[in-house]
Amino acid sequence: MTELFFVAMLAISVVVLLVSRDISIFLLDTGLLFEGFFQAAARLVTPAFAFLTFYSLLVIVFASLYTILDRFTDPPNFMIDGRPRDITFPESLYFSLVTLSTVGYGDIQPHTGFARLITATEILLGVLLLLFGFSAIISHRSDWRSPDDPG
């Protein structure tokens, strides 16, 4: 039994010896690839953070508008789960995020003309923010690129 164990360990050692050079080259290539990726990602942190900050600010501003609109007008401005009622601030945050991202699940819907106007404005701003935001992030990435960098 000891001899069988010794032969198995010798076979494993030979296999490790034969492939260790290829594994080392693979690990070095992988490390270099990730080093380039993380350097590029580090340059995108500032514009991505600015984009997300502005996006979050718009969500909060429109959520506040929806809540204020519902507090100071008589008929409810939103249909929530199929019935008109006043919207809470957490619900307005959710509705604002869903609207700004143009997902629109339909569980909360603007019910009055003025609420629809504010919602349409938020949708347009959301689309423009995505277009200009991603454009700015991509152009920021290309501004940092060196002349000899192909990608």
Side-chain angles (χ1 to χ4, degrees):
M1 189 68 165
T2 305
E3 295 83 20
L4 181 63
F5 178 73
F6 180 72
V7 170
M9 293 306 289
L10 184 63
I12 291 171
S13 299
V14 169
V15 168
V16 168
L17 180 67
L18 292 175
V19 298
S20 63
R21 180 179 179 278
D22 293 335
I23 291 174
S24 297
I25 291 171
F26 171 74
L27 290 175
L28 284 172
D29 287 344
T30 304
L32 291 172
L33 177 70
F34 277 108
E35 180 183 18
F37 170 76
F38 286 120
Q39 285 175 351
R43 290 189 297 266
L44 295 177
V45 168
T46 301
F49 183 74
F51 171 78
L52 290 174
T53 301
F54 191 68
Y55 197 87
S56 300
L57 182 65
L58 277 179
V59 167
I60 293 168
V61 165
F62 275 96
S64 299
L65 284 173
Y66 296 136
T67 305
I68 290 168
L69 178 67
D70 242 13
R71 296 297 175 265
F72 293 109
T73 58
D74 189 23
N77 289 287
F78 293 93
M79 297 264 302
I80 302 171
D81 294 326
R83 59 186 178 88
R85 69 170 173 87
D86 287 339
I87 194 167
T88 65
F89 187 68
E91 288 172 333
S92 66
L93 278 172
Y94 163 76
F95 177 70
S96 181
L97 179 64
V98 168
T99 301
L100 192 64
S101 65
T102 68
V103 173
Y105 291 120
D107 50 349
I108 302 175
Q109 303 165 0
H111 186 59
T112 63
F114 193 61
R116 289 181 181 133
L117 179 66
I118 295 173
T119 303
T121 303
E122 186 177 13
I123 291 169
L124 289 174
L125 285 175
V127 170
L128 290 173
L129 179 64
L130 287 174
L131 289 173
F132 290 119
F134 285 129
S135 173
I137 290 171
I138 290 169
S139 69
H140 184 78
R141 162 68 174 111
S142 61
D143 289 347
W144 279 84
R145 206 179 288 162
S146 65
D148 58 334
D149 184 11

